[in-house]
Amino acid sequence: MKNGFIKKNKILGINMLYLLGLLPVIIFSYYKNGFMVFKSGELSFFLSLQYLVIPIIIILLSYVFETYYYLGIKKEENTNNVVNSIVPYMNALCYLVCGPANKLYITIPIIVVIDVLLKFIDTKVAVNRVALFKCILFGLLTLLSTYTNANYHELTLNSSVTDPSSLFLGMGVGEIGTTSTLCALIGFIVLMFNTYYKKEIPIVCVISYALVGILLYFAGVVKFNELLINTFTSGFMFVAIFVASLSTATPVVRSGRVIYALLVGILSAVMINVFNFNLGMYIVILVCGLLTPLFNKFKLSIE
């Protein structure tokens, strides 16, 4: 019975690796936005735990919703699709790209609405739900004039961290889980053990981003220190490793994935360093995801 379950649910282990890769990010997000803010007196210890508890709750509730959808609505006779669903992982990512002072009564309904709508969209349409969520959230909070990436302590400060080494560790202003390049890289190492993880996407994204960044530096568009600061504060590494590589919204063929990643890296570098528009990388990922059927046609003979 046990072997039968494992054989039918191979993707479960893959999804567990995805969630394990997020663990360093979640722990650091609690340290920066929860524990440190509690120590500064801006949050109670109970409220500081939200950055640990909410991702877990989102994951669990996502599995509950998947159970209702597959067993209650689609009337499936087994839980294979529930157990193997990647939706809980993607919903956790949605939370991690929110601002630390986000309002759950805004963010959670957006996650739910996207989840419901994408259940009824043709599966041939590759929608990166994390990028879609981020774009919708940004637009809504901008309209409400409440958009901020500062945590409750950073909101009280007149200045922010600009030292590249501190920003690399994750001490800069940014979304809940995107500030630490170090934690993102640790997560990448974990994901490398996942044979289904499309590792060439973040690798090509980072290389193409770096090359464009160097060109912008030599062209005098941006100073080297500014290039580092822009890269770390934008959360590009997190986005490249976790968001841009989502298997449900990226090309299947390797050559298509390389083209996809090149576009994401190049355009993100321009958006972040030239236009100072960090949301631009999410827009690029969303659009490139929709173009996945086109990228899948670029299949080289070596594949």
Side-chain angles (χ1 to χ4, degrees):
M1 183 73 176
K2 184 177 180 182
N3 290 334
F5 176 83
I6 295 175
K7 184 176 181 180
K8 292 180 181 179
N9 298 283
K10 292 180 180 179
I11 302 177
L12 174 61
I14 295 169
N15 290 339
M16 290 302 102
L17 273 175
Y18 280 128
L19 293 173
L20 184 62
L22 278 183
L23 190 58
V25 173
I26 293 173
I27 291 174
F28 180 80
S29 70
Y30 162 69
Y31 171 76
K32 175 180 180 288
N33 301 304
F35 180 75
M36 293 299 292
V37 178
F38 158 68
K39 294 290 287 185
S40 69
E42 269 84 24
L43 275 181
S44 67
F45 178 72
F46 175 77
L47 287 178
S48 73
L49 292 175
Q50 64 182 289
Y51 302 102
L52 277 178
V53 175
I54 292 177
I56 297 174
I57 292 176
I58 288 176
I59 291 170
L60 293 177
L61 289 180
S62 296
Y63 276 115
V64 171
F65 178 75
E66 292 296 276
T67 300
Y68 172 72
Y69 174 72
Y70 286 110
L71 302 187
I73 297 178
K74 298 196 74 175
K75 306 297 182 181
E76 295 186 357
E77 297 181 354
N78 57 63
T79 60
N80 291 344
N81 283 327
V82 175
V83 173
N84 294 325
S85 176
I86 196 175
V87 170
Y89 168 71
M90 292 190 290
N91 286 346
L93 285 176
C94 288
Y95 173 74
L96 292 173
V97 300
C98 294
N102 80 98
K103 306 300 182 183
L104 292 177
Y105 60 80
I106 295 177
T107 57
I108 298 300
I110 297 175
I111 293 175
V112 173
V113 169
I114 291 175
D115 203 355
V116 172
L117 289 178
L118 292 185
K119 295 292 186 186
F120 303 97
I121 292 180
D122 189 340
T123 54
K124 292 181 180 179
V125 179
V127 179
N128 189 307
R129 69 172 65 211
V130 182
L132 176 61
F133 167 84
K134 181 65 177 181
C135 292
I136 293 174
L137 180 66
F138 178 87
L140 181 59
L141 294 184
T142 300
L143 287 175
L144 296 174
S145 300
T146 58
Y147 185 84
T148 178
N149 280 333
N151 63 34
Y152 292 101
H153 177 60
E154 292 163 343
L155 288 171
T156 66
L157 303 177
N158 294 322
S159 60
S160 59
V161 177
T162 56
D163 174 52
S165 60
S166 296
L167 293 175
F168 174 79
L169 294 176
M171 302 311 296
V173 175
E175 292 95 342
I176 293 172
T178 68
T179 60
S180 178
T181 297
L182 175 61
C183 288
L185 290 173
I186 294 173
F188 179 69
I189 293 173
V190 173
L191 292 176
M192 289 289 284
F193 290 95
N194 185 340
T195 56
Y196 285 80
Y197 177 64
K198 299 176 180 179
K199 57 183 176 295
E200 62 275 350
I201 289 179
I203 292 173
V204 175
C205 276
V206 172
I207 292 175
S208 57
Y209 178 97
L211 290 176
V212 173
I214 292 172
L215 288 175
L216 292 174
Y217 164 71
F218 282 111
V221 176
V222 61
K223 296 178 181 179
F224 186 73
N225 196 59
E226 292 174 343
L227 180 62
L228 292 178
I229 292 174
N230 292 342
T231 302
F232 295 146
T233 57
S234 66
F236 173 75
M237 290 297 293
F238 175 91
V239 174
I241 291 170
F242 293 103
V243 181
S245 61
L246 285 176
S247 59
T248 57
T250 48
V252 175
V253 300
R254 182 170 298 176
S255 50
R257 293 198 293 267
V258 170
I259 296 172
Y260 163 89
L262 280 171
L263 285 174
V264 171
I266 293 170
L267 295 177
S268 293
V270 174
M271 291 287 188
I272 293 170
N273 296 293
V274 177
F275 299 105
N276 195 27
F277 184 51
N278 295 342
L279 182 72
M281 60 183 170
Y282 291 96
I283 297 175
V284 169
I285 290 171
L286 181 60
V287 173
C288 287
L290 295 174
L291 295 176
T292 289
L294 175 62
F295 294 137
N296 281 331
K297 295 181 179 179
F298 291 93
K299 186 173 182 180
L300 301 179
S301 57
I302 60 175
E303 295 186 17

